[in-house]
Amino acid sequence: MKKTLLTLIVITSITINAQTTFTLNQTVSLAGTADPYAIATGDLDGDGDADILYASSGNGLFSWLENDDTGNFGSPIAIGAGGYYYPNSVAIADIDGINGNDIIVSASDKVLWFANDGSGNFGTENLVASFPSFGASFVVVKDIDGNGTLDIAVSDYYSHELVWISNSGADPHFNGTKNTIASSFTNVAAFDIADIDGDTDVDAVVSNAIGVNPGGNDSKIEVYYNDGSGAFTVDTNPVANNTKDYMWSVFIADVDNDSDMDILSSDLYGNASWYNRTQVSPGTATYSETILTTTIANPATISFQDLDNDALKDIVLSTGASGAGNDLVWFKNNGAGSFASEDVISIVQNQPFTIAFGDFDNDADLDIASAAYFDDNINIFDNQLINLSVNDITFKKFNIFPNPTKNILNFKVPFAESFKVSVYDILGKKVLSSTLQNSNTLDVSKLNNGIYILKFDDYNTNLKFVKQ
């Protein structure tokens, strides 16, 4: 939203049409040849706003940027001893179940995690697992074996396999033992972990990136199904078999809003597309590809986020190219797998390989952070979602955090008196209600995982949150 707006708008007598544009709000210039290569967002200091974590492959640093609660970020704060060889991937998650979000990183021959003290101070590095030199590539954090702790999946580029390391739930949490998801998968690279077949456990979509020269079409995408305990079997049908060149990202999502999951993909030397998945039987599905028409050269990160607050997630795509041209675009979701022509977010970056999302300025819309590799910059784009034809608007500041949450919601409201809240599931059923004071918290630990709407009963105000 525009800077004059606060966190949420309380509206009466409304006729609304939404328009979404982005402005470059801040550029954090990194010292030397930083080559920022990976980025993630999340609350790292326990203050309820989204901070930025990134990896600099050029100078061997992992660092984070503190959000001042208005969407402006301070100078880089280094994590760990430094001198890490080829930092390649970062993630934010609460590994130990205390003191909020921790940090997970990959650096050539190892994956590490750093515990948070609750205030954004990170201690000594903890080894998750060791890998061959340059082997440890992407990392994803999910509960893979269903035991309630967050495990870590890693693509091992030079051992040609995707593996996961179990979190025991007690110190030191990881013992280095690698469990196989996919093996004999040449130069395994981008992957995603989520429940693709609707059986409540998380599965894997895996791709590879063979060679660095365009034109090979020797890469593939496959789905691996979890039996619930962390043992995986491959779908009898590949998603794509030697029709891709150098896969950069894959993303599991319900693209066509039909209540089952599909796959988004980007090929650095090919195209960006999505695959409609149709399950034939357990362990077998068919996949139909729709290629996106885009001006983006060398498609890099593809993601699925609701940028215009219409309850439909949109496609966002960045480039791995440098030089003139569009470098970050989005496709508005019109529903049922139909997307509008691309809208340009940025033309000023060089090689923003990776992007991440968060409501940085607490105005109830998603902003974008990018790691511009060639420019040595972290860029923050402000979502200026504009609501038109609003007759009687009162501006109030409401905020809930953390979001997503596992157990409790904290509140920031612009008054001191008690207030009533109700929680509804996505089907509109009321599942929880309470009367709170400003300083109160709401216990949502007994809710099932999913998306919920929280209504401030006396203020005609709703907020969406995710229960994990």
Side-chain angles (χ1 to χ4, degrees):
M1 292 180 182
K2 290 183 177 179
K3 289 297 181 184
T4 54
L5 302 190
L6 295 173
T7 300
L8 193 74
I9 303 177
V10 183
I11 305 173
T12 59
S13 183
I14 309 171
T15 302
I16 299 178
N17 294 300
Q19 294 182 349
T20 306
T21 60
F22 290 82
T23 60
L24 179 57
N25 181 61
Q26 184 181 1
T27 293
V28 179
S29 298
L30 308 179
T33 307
D35 297 340
Y37 196 64
I39 193 167
T41 59
D43 184 7
L44 293 177
D45 52 2
D47 63 355
D49 56 34
D51 307 301
I52 296 173
L53 170 68
Y54 68 92
S56 300
S57 62
N59 58 19
L61 291 176
F62 297 105
S63 307
W64 72 284
L65 305 174
E66 183 177 359
N67 188 346
D68 70 356
D69 199 39
T70 68
N72 294 306
F73 293 84
S75 299
I77 304 170
I79 300 163
Y84 297 104
Y85 197 46
Y86 199 58
N88 195 50
S89 186
V90 294
I92 297 173
D94 187 0
I95 292 296
D96 54 8
I98 58 173
N99 297 329
N101 284 323
D102 307 305
I103 287 173
I104 304 93
V105 302
S106 71
S108 181
D109 62 350
K110 56 191 171 184
V111 172
L112 308 169
W113 76 280
F114 296 84
N116 193 342
D117 71 353
S119 300
N121 301 304
F122 297 91
T124 57
E125 63 187 49
N126 301 282
L127 181 67
V128 176
S130 298
F131 293 83
S133 184
F134 294 105
S137 296
F138 297 98
V139 297
V140 173
V141 183
K142 289 287 177 70
D143 181 5
I144 293 175
D145 52 6
N147 70 348
T149 62
L150 290 176
D151 311 304
I152 299 175
V154 186
S155 54
D156 187 343
Y157 189 81
Y158 284 114
S159 293
H160 311 299
E161 61 182 358
L162 177 65
V163 300
W164 68 278
I165 302 94
S166 178
N167 181 351
S168 68
D171 287 335
H173 290 278
F174 302 98
N175 64 11
T177 300
K178 290 176 276 188
N179 306 281
T180 301
I181 296 175
S183 60
S184 301
F185 206 108
T186 304
N187 298 143
V188 63
F191 69 98
D192 195 17
I193 302 285
D195 182 11
I196 200 169
D197 58 357
D199 64 353
T200 72
D201 55 38
V202 294
D203 310 297
V205 172
V206 190
S207 68
N208 56 353
I210 300 175
V212 292
N213 297 312
N217 281 349
D218 48 8
S219 296
K220 61 183 178 180
I221 308 171
E222 291 183 341
V223 173
Y224 287 76
Y225 298 106
N226 189 347
D227 71 353
S229 68
F232 290 81
T233 55
V234 65
D235 193 319
T236 53
N237 293 322
V239 181
N241 188 23
N242 295 335
T243 59
K244 299 298 178 183
D245 197 343
Y246 195 88
M247 287 298 301
W248 185 265
S249 69
V250 290
F251 196 95
I252 301 171
D254 181 7
V255 178
D256 52 3
N257 200 34
D258 63 353
S259 300
D260 58 33
M261 304 302 272
D262 310 298
I263 300 168
L264 289 154
S265 75
S266 63
D267 180 350
L268 195 65
Y269 296 130
N271 52 45
S273 64
W274 70 276
Y275 291 87
N276 182 24
R277 178 183 181 274
T278 303
Q279 183 157 310
V280 176
S281 61
T284 302
T286 59
Y287 304 90
S288 174
E289 184 179 22
T290 298
I291 295 173
L292 299 174
T293 300
T294 180
T295 59
I296 289 290
N298 304 113
T301 297
I302 192 167
S303 192
F304 202 50
Q305 309 288 335
D306 184 5
L307 297 185
D308 53 359
N309 284 358
D310 63 354
L312 294 172
K313 292 187 176 181
D314 313 296
I315 296 175
V316 190
L317 181 66
S318 75
T319 184
S322 59
N326 299 331
D327 55 70
L328 186 59
V329 301
W330 73 287
F331 302 80
K332 176 177 172 57
N333 191 340
N334 292 325
S338 172
F339 293 85
S341 299
E342 70 177 20
D343 279 332
V344 177
I345 295 172
S346 170
I347 62 171
V348 300
Q349 304 178 101
N350 290 288
Q351 295 182 310
F353 284 110
T354 55
I355 55 178
F357 303 83
D359 183 9
F360 301 131
D361 50 1
N362 288 315
D363 64 355
D365 53 41
L366 282 179
D367 310 304
I368 303 174
S370 67
Y373 179 84
F374 187 82
D375 300 327
D376 296 322
N377 291 333
I378 301 296
N379 294 314
I380 295 94
F381 294 89
D382 181 33
N383 186 344
Q384 299 199 326
L385 182 63
I386 302 171
N387 291 323
L388 303 177
S389 302
V390 179
N391 297 325
D392 182 15
I393 302 179
T394 303
F395 298 104
K396 296 288 186 182
K397 188 171 182 179
F398 291 82
N399 195 13
I400 55 175
F401 62 93
N403 190 6
T405 183
K406 292 181 180 180
N407 298 308
I408 62 169
L409 283 174
N410 298 296
F411 292 80
K412 289 182 180 178
V413 295
F415 45 75
E417 64 267 20
S418 63
F419 56 97
K420 296 178 180 179
V421 295
S422 300
V423 176
Y424 297 83
D425 65 19
I426 58 175
L427 299 178
K429 178 182 178 182
K430 183 188 288 190
V431 294
L432 184 63
S433 61
S434 185
T435 299
L436 305 173
Q437 296 291 335
N438 190 330
S439 60
N440 277 15
T441 60
L442 182 66
D443 184 355
V444 296
S445 60
K446 294 182 180 179
L447 297 180
N448 294 327
N449 292 352
I451 298 172
Y452 293 89
I453 302 299
L454 185 141
K455 179 180 179 181
F456 291 82
D457 293 345
D458 298 324
Y459 293 89
N460 193 28
T461 301
N462 300 331
L463 288 175
K464 181 171 65 176
F465 72 93
V466 177
K467 167 63 170 59
Q468 290 182 334

